Amino acid sequence: MLEPARRLAAVQTPVIPTLGQWIRETPGCLNLGQGMVSWGPPAAVRSALSAVAREAECQGNGQLVDGLDPYGPMAGDPALLAAIRDHLRHRHGLDPEASSVIVTAGSNMAFQALAQVLCDPGDEVLLPVPYYFNHAMAVQLAGGVPRPVQAGVLVDPELLAAAIGPRARAVVTISPNNPSGAVLSRERLNTINALCARKGLLHIHDEAYAAFHHGDQQPWSPGSAAGAAAHTVTLQSLSKSHGMAGWRVGWMVVPPSLAPDLAKVQDTTLICPPRLSQRAAAVALSDDWDWMQAPMAALRRRRQQWLERFDQPGRPWRLLAPADGAFYGLLELDSPITADQAMERLVREHGVAVVSGSSFGLERCCLRVSYGMLQGEAFNDAIARLASGLETLARENHRQAPAPGRSPSAEP
């Protein structure tokens, strides 16, 4: 029997497909695990697809539709690149002319391409805990070493600096954060960005959730700092903000020095970004974003319901960081069972799905909850099931001492 490459043994099994299988095996299970929103793209995107269909009909059966059917430019079609540059300039304060912009099939693909360009065997990418599991997996698949850093959920720059070793190539930050929902302050991100510049490291900043902020702290793009373009990568996507997860379109804003080697990876894996998705993305970025106000308001109401149930004293769980961004929260349960065990038992015994914190590098029994997708009575039922399930798991084990080790906290 042919064996796979040995390095794959160290890569974790994808948690979301595993969770999805358990959900399918548990009729009526409600999903607070998947990182998706409850809405799709604006009407203008659907209209653009209708226009594409009419264009194809006019060409006739079996005829090539220019700008859709043939291969396109490796970095993306000009219309979408222009829309992205306008978006970067006006919504994030970046100077897109100082960087290279490459469209990818989602920002996950962008990160994987970066990992392949950055990592020789043994090179390290620093991932503050909690990290996004696909980031760690991509580094391993590229032959590099994901280096978890216990710097607190809000990322203490001094602890991050202390973890930089001779094989370090990059530091990754995510704000608003997946899985915690924390929003890193401009001051912290700027300090981390300056640290990377001093140490000759790349600062990779994931902004997939930039549209989702619920408190006073505004998300900030470190790529907008003076001089940052030479050492900063910005990752963005329409999967979350516009409900276009299945369309697979995102982009990376990279130092120009990396662009030639990123082109090698892109040409090998994708050739060019899917052109139908690109056309939809260009319309989505150019459309008035006012349509998003109503679904965002509904999301914030669900967040408030969730906080009222779970962010309160005297319960056998605690919220690990202020859930002021994205649509996630991290809970730590007082229980000696593992997070993986809790995740499976909540699905099979209580009919509610959340994601194990061990997938994000967290110790003890931590769980990520998403309030992005379910609505109405289904959402109310799901959070009631979760509260009851967590109470049951804690009650069963209240006589047992919790596992040793310091709990992760918002501040180190």
Side-chain angles (χ1 to χ4, degrees):
M1 177 180 175
L2 184 65
E3 296 291 334
R6 288 189 295 273
R7 72 178 187 281
L8 293 176
V11 181
Q12 69 170 282
T13 300
V15 65
I16 297 299
T18 299
L19 185 63
Q21 180 61 38
W22 294 346
I23 292 170
R24 289 189 291 274
E25 294 169 356
T26 310
C29 183
L30 297 173
N31 193 346
L32 293 173
Q34 185 99 49
M36 289 176 56
V37 294
S38 57
W39 60 84
V45 170
R46 310 289 190 195
S47 298
L49 293 186
S50 298
V52 170
R54 289 193 297 271
E55 182 182 346
E57 288 175 3
C58 290
Q59 291 286 350
N61 188 40
Q63 298 299 305
L64 198 69
V65 179
D66 189 34
L68 181 66
D69 296 327
Y71 291 128
M74 177 279 301
D77 287 345
L80 178 54
L81 289 171
I84 291 171
R85 290 189 177 100
D86 187 67
H87 169 79
L88 293 169
R89 187 180 295 110
H90 292 105
R91 290 187 175 270
H92 296 272
L94 274 74
D95 175 10
E97 306 310 318
S99 303
S100 296
V101 180
I102 301 175
V103 182
T104 56
S107 56
N108 260 18
M109 182 183 175
F111 189 93
Q112 187 170 33
L114 285 163
Q116 292 186 56
V117 167
L118 287 175
C119 294
D120 282 322
D123 284 344
E124 295 183 345
V125 175
L126 274 60
L127 304 177
V129 177
Y131 52 73
Y132 176 44
F133 45 77
N134 281 147
H135 289 168
M137 295 164 71
V139 172
Q140 290 172 314
L141 288 170
V145 178
R147 174 78 185 278
V149 182
Q150 299 290 345
V153 178
L154 296 182
V155 191
D156 185 316
E158 292 186 4
L159 293 177
L160 193 58
I164 296 173
R167 298 299 302 272
R169 297 300 313 277
V171 170
V172 180
T173 53
I174 310 168
S175 179
N177 186 259
N178 176 15
S180 72
V183 180
L184 302 185
S185 70
R186 175 172 179 161
E187 179 184 12
R188 288 196 182 217
L189 284 172
N190 200 30
T191 300
I192 293 168
N193 196 259
L195 169 68
C196 290
R198 289 197 310 273
K199 297 290 187 178
L201 305 179
L202 195 67
H203 182 189
I204 304 173
H205 187 61
D206 189 331
E207 301 183 6
Y209 300 90
F212 300 84
H213 51 93
H214 317 300
D216 295 332
Q217 189 73 59
Q218 295 285 320
W220 181 70
S221 297
S224 66
H231 67 278
T232 309
V233 168
T234 302
L235 303 180
Q236 296 183 347
S237 167
L238 295 179
S239 295
K240 313 301 180 180
S241 60
H242 286 67
M244 295 175 68
W247 298 70
R248 307 313 304 137
V249 57
W251 53 90
M252 52 181 156
V253 187
V254 302
S257 60
L258 294 181
D261 287 314
L262 286 167
K264 298 174 185 177
V265 179
Q266 176 101 324
D267 183 70
T268 302
T269 57
L270 192 62
I271 299 179
C272 71
R275 304 193 79 184
L276 183 60
S277 292
Q278 288 191 74
R279 188 170 296 193
V283 172
L285 284 175
S286 302
D287 192 49
D288 189 339
W289 287 41
D290 286 348
W291 69 273
M292 206 180 292
Q293 291 182 9
M296 281 289 191
L299 179 77
R300 291 185 178 113
R301 288 192 293 272
R302 294 199 297 275
R303 170 182 175 267
Q304 189 59 38
Q305 284 180 260
W306 183 78
L307 288 175
E308 288 172 358
R309 178 69 72 107
F310 291 97
D311 188 19
Q312 53 182 286
R315 296 301 182 93
W317 59 74
R318 66 192 126 294
L319 192 65
L320 292 186
D324 289 337
F327 37 82
Y328 303 121
L330 267 178
L331 298 176
E332 182 182 25
L333 179 65
D334 287 333
S335 174
I337 67 173
T338 68
D340 290 345
Q341 291 169 334
M343 176 174 66
E344 183 169 9
R345 290 190 60 185
L346 285 167
V347 171
R348 299 193 187 280
E349 299 172 18
H350 300 278
V352 62
V354 294
V355 180
S356 163
S358 63
S359 305
F360 306 96
L362 290 158
E363 300 176 352
R364 303 185 68 174
C365 191
C366 299
L367 301 162
R368 187 193 77 175
V369 182
S370 170
Y371 54 84
M373 190 164 56
L374 294 181
Q375 303 180 77
E377 286 306 310
F379 179 70
N380 295 335
D381 191 8
I383 60 175
R385 292 186 194 184
L386 178 59
S388 175
L390 293 177
E391 293 274 11
T392 298
L393 293 177
R395 222 173 17 246
E396 286 180 1
N397 298 285
H398 74 282
R399 290 190 179 89
Q400 301 180 45
R406 185 167 71 90
S407 166
S409 61
E411 293 291 347

